[in-house]
Amino acid sequence: MPTSKHFPRSLLAILSLMFAIFAWQIIVRLSGLPRFILPAPYDVWMRLLKALADGSLLHHTSVTLIEILLGLFAGVGFATTLGYLLAKSPALEKILSPYLVASQAIPVIAIAPLLVIWLGNGILSKVVICALIVFFPVLVNTIVGVRATPPALYDLMRSLRATRWQILSKLELPASLPILFGGLRIGATLSVIGAIVGELVDAQEGLGFLLQLGDFQYDTSMVFVAIFTLITLALSLYGAVVLLERKFSK
Amino acid sequence: MPSKFALTVKNLSVVYPDNNGGLRALDDISFNVRHREFLCFLGPSGSGKTTLLRVLAGLLNPSNGQAHFHHQHPKIGMVFQQANLMAWRTVIENIKLPLELEGMDAARSRAKASEMIELVGLNGFEDALPRELSGGMAQRVAIARALIHDPDLLLLDEPFASLDALTRERMWNELSQIWQTTKKTVIMVTHSINESLFLADRVIVLTSRPGKIKIDVGVDLPRPRKEDIRYTPHFGKLARTLRETIK
Ligand SMILES: Nc1ncnc2c1ncn2[C@@H]1O[C@H](COP(=O)(O)OP(=O)(O)O)[C@@H](O)[C@H]1O
Ligand SMILES: [Mg+2]
């Protein structure tokens, strides 16, 4: 998007945010809806301050963040390992791909209750759900990325008697990094959804739990606070991946 | 088994599998290469030149015969038809790759890479990325990379075929000078008669498929060779001999 010198992008973002809040306030005023259906920006702000002051927001956010990070690491770890093996072995891919594709036909939301029954309503079930939802896009991008390695560079590496490990670390990894990061960006966003889906099924803590608590108690301002925190979390995660990508790419 | 030859190739054949009995790319090739010799293989496209270099580089197993090296595990430097650089590495990082693979420490390999950059005349482009280079510059990076680890054998697969005529001739000069200073054993493959005569000590002509050795000619032109050597009668005579064999 072209931006002029006089209007830096960050300023533009802040302005549009202010406009959205202003519009929200107008809608609340004009519609006259009760606070438990549509709270005003000011109500949400006060609720945020309260949740920050009593430490509840920080606690639930950190629980969800831990679930997300563990799930992300596990999902990315398994997906890249398996993806690499599948990329290197067409036979293995032929055997496994029907199962992998079929597994994608089942929405994670549908099996989330099962996982909570099997693994309990603690952190483990959320981590697993999170890992599952992250798994597929990272897997696919790993396979595509590794296969995108120019064949002539394999010849170069082999003519220099490179070991398998050197071929992986100095050729395949850097060659597939851009595509791998594409998968990681999708995975980072999905991981937030995974953790929340798990928490909404059954949980004692976390932002999903907070969301549901607010809902039960007609504390709609709290629901808004939880949603905005989730958005912030997802954006930060995405931003972290983008930063990481920038650091690694030339 | 030490010998006066850097490389001895005996009865080498390569058959690629296909649907009717296999495609014979090389047929019963035998030749010797002396230490520090610059040997050119000349042949039309499809005569198995790349196949031969791939066998010598250890990238392909022959169906028959063998290549025997003076050194048991010869170090190979290879330049491909395309520069074949790693897009994510700068010029100097590309050049020092072979040293990295040998486990040399960063400071020393960087210093050696700087020497190579000097040798191929790329000063000032150390930190450029491959996409910022012209074809000739990229191929010079590839040559530097092929030489940096002090290989026992330098293999060149039509390294200048993708360059324009003027750049190509400038590269002949540079390669010729580099070879004079480094004194490597070189096997180069080409389909240009001029290129082979300008550079080589010896030219072997391959027939078209399957590749067989047609003739093996010594190039006794004085060195160092300059562009105008092409207008000497002796060059003309050699060129005519080669052209008539290829026909
Ligand atoms: N990997 C391969 N599989 C099957 N046939 C091949 C392969 N590589 C080369 N060939 C065939 O072998 C012959 C020689 O090829 P090549 O060595 O590339 O010749 P040149 O480099 O002289 O043009 C050609 O007919 C080519 O089609
Ligand atoms: Mg070829």
Side-chain angles (χ1 to χ4, degrees):
Chain A
M1 205 198 300
T3 50
S4 75
K5 280 195 201 105
H6 309 283
F7 264 81
R9 279 240 299 257
S10 51
L11 192 63
L12 217 61
I14 290 170
L15 275 177
S16 83
L17 193 65
M18 280 167 61
F19 176 78
I21 293 171
F22 181 69
W24 174 10
Q25 180 71 51
I26 298 280
I27 291 169
V28 171
R29 273 285 171 81
L30 292 181
S31 66
L33 286 169
R35 191 177 290 183
F36 67 87
I37 291 184
L38 184 63
Y42 179 74
D43 302 325
V44 175
W45 176 248
M46 291 314 286
R47 191 67 187 86
L48 170 70
L49 292 183
K50 186 164 166 255
L52 278 174
D54 65 18
S56 59
L57 186 63
L58 201 64
H59 169 72
H60 292 292
T61 305
S62 62
V63 168
T64 301
L65 186 61
I66 286 169
E67 291 166 356
I68 288 171
L69 290 180
L70 290 178
L72 200 54
F73 278 120
V76 169
F78 280 118
T80 48
T81 310
L82 186 65
Y84 183 72
L85 293 177
L86 291 180
K88 300 302 278 184
S89 162
L92 191 65
E93 196 198 1
K94 259 200 194 120
I95 297 169
L96 288 185
S97 65
Y99 298 99
L100 291 168
V101 173
S103 75
Q104 286 314 294
I106 313 165
V108 174
I109 295 177
I111 53 168
L114 263 183
L115 288 169
V116 174
I117 292 171
W118 291 340
L119 303 172
N121 67 354
I123 186 168
L124 181 62
S125 54
K126 283 74 182 177
V127 171
V128 170
I129 293 166
C130 197
L132 280 178
I133 209 168
V134 164
F135 183 78
F136 201 70
V138 177
L139 178 85
V140 170
N141 280 49
T142 306
I143 295 174
V144 174
V146 172
R147 294 236 167 109
T149 309
L153 286 177
Y154 282 104
D155 284 348
L156 171 73
M157 292 297 271
R158 284 173 55 213
S159 78
L160 294 168
R161 310 274 183 272
T163 62
R164 259 193 114 98
W165 167 248
Q166 288 175 326
I167 289 177
L168 172 60
S169 63
K170 296 199 186 288
L171 172 58
E172 289 167 334
L173 183 64
S176 56
L177 219 51
I179 299 176
L180 209 60
F181 266 112
L184 219 53
R185 262 185 276 161
I186 302 169
T189 323
L190 287 177
S191 66
V192 178
I193 297 175
I196 295 307
V197 163
E199 287 174 355
L200 285 178
V201 172
D202 186 11
Q204 237 86 85
E205 43 190 358
L207 286 173
F209 167 78
L210 206 61
L211 207 72
Q212 220 159 27
L213 192 70
D215 195 32
F216 286 151
Q217 298 177 343
Y218 288 99
D219 187 356
T220 312
S221 302
M222 187 68 241
V223 175
F224 272 75
V225 168
I227 288 172
F228 285 133
T229 311
L230 276 174
I231 292 172
T232 313
L233 216 56
L235 285 177
S236 319
L237 229 61
Y238 188 88
V241 174
V242 171
L243 278 183
L244 210 64
E245 187 175 356
R246 217 171 280 164
K247 191 172 173 292
F248 277 106
S249 62
K250 288 205 172 111
Chain B
M1 185 178 67
S3 76
K4 64 181 178 132
F5 296 119
L7 167 66
T8 304
V9 172
K10 262 216 171 89
N11 308 114
L12 190 90
S13 298
V14 173
V15 180
Y16 288 110
D18 72 355
N19 296 330
N20 43 8
L23 187 150
R24 187 166 286 268
L26 286 175
D27 191 25
D28 198 28
I29 303 269
S30 301
F31 62 92
N32 295 316
V33 187
R34 286 190 304 279
H35 292 286
R36 306 179 166 188
E37 187 172 29
F38 197 128
L39 172 62
C40 243
F41 278 88
L42 187 64
S45 116
S47 56
K49 304 184 296 294
T50 298
T51 303
L52 177 63
L53 288 193
R54 290 178 62 83
V55 171
L56 298 182
L59 300 174
L60 182 68
N61 287 322
S63 321
N64 243 309
Q66 57 185 340
H68 185 91
F69 290 89
H70 177 72
H71 296 266
Q72 202 143 46
H73 298 288
K75 281 207 236 174
I76 303 284
M78 193 160 183
V79 179
F80 303 80
Q81 193 160 335
Q82 302 298 325
N84 216 356
L85 303 178
M86 292 180 170
W88 56 90
R89 282 178 173 242
T90 60
V91 165
I92 196 161
E93 288 168 347
N94 265 293
I95 292 177
K96 72 189 183 72
L97 173 78
L99 298 181
E100 259 177 67
L101 298 179
E102 286 178 0
M104 186 182 283
D105 63 81
R108 268 184 67 206
S109 58
R110 236 188 135 74
K112 283 201 84 173
S114 296
E115 282 172 34
M116 295 310 300
I117 282 177
E118 186 87 29
L119 181 72
V120 298
L122 281 174
N123 309 58
F125 290 93
E126 288 82 354
D127 299 320
L129 286 168
R131 61 167 176 266
E132 297 159 356
L133 303 178
S134 69
M137 287 159 78
Q139 212 48 294
R140 270 183 263 179
V141 176
I143 292 170
R145 178 180 62 188
L147 286 168
I148 194 169
H149 57 312
D150 198 18
D152 303 306
L153 180 63
L154 182 61
L155 300 174
L156 306 165
D157 189 356
E158 304 194 36
F160 310 133
S162 59
L163 306 180
D164 63 86
L166 287 175
T167 313
R168 180 159 55 230
E169 289 177 18
R170 187 152 3 103
M171 296 296 291
W172 293 352
N173 267 314
E174 290 188 15
L175 179 61
S176 187
Q177 275 165 23
I178 290 169
W179 178 74
Q180 301 260 357
T181 48
T182 57
K183 280 291 174 191
K184 291 285 159 204
T185 309
V186 181
I187 299 181
M188 172 161 157
V189 139
T190 178
H191 59 235
S192 154
I193 291 172
N194 281 347
E195 184 166 290
S196 67
L197 287 179
F198 193 86
L199 291 165
D201 295 321
R202 198 176 136 209
V203 178
I204 295 181
V205 177
L206 290 178
T207 59
S208 58
R209 213 170 67 211
K212 277 188 195 192
I213 292 182
K214 206 158 188 186
I215 50 164
D216 185 335
V217 201
V219 182
D220 47 356
L221 294 165
R223 287 183 192 272
R225 296 174 190 165
K226 297 255 158 55
E227 290 89 30
D228 51 15
I229 199 161
R230 275 183 287 163
Y231 311 118
T232 62
H234 193 43
F235 190 102
K237 209 177 117 227
L238 285 168
R240 197 169 315 121
T241 313
L242 292 179
R243 185 158 293 118
E244 275 161 10
T245 340
I246 285 177
K247 245 187 257 169

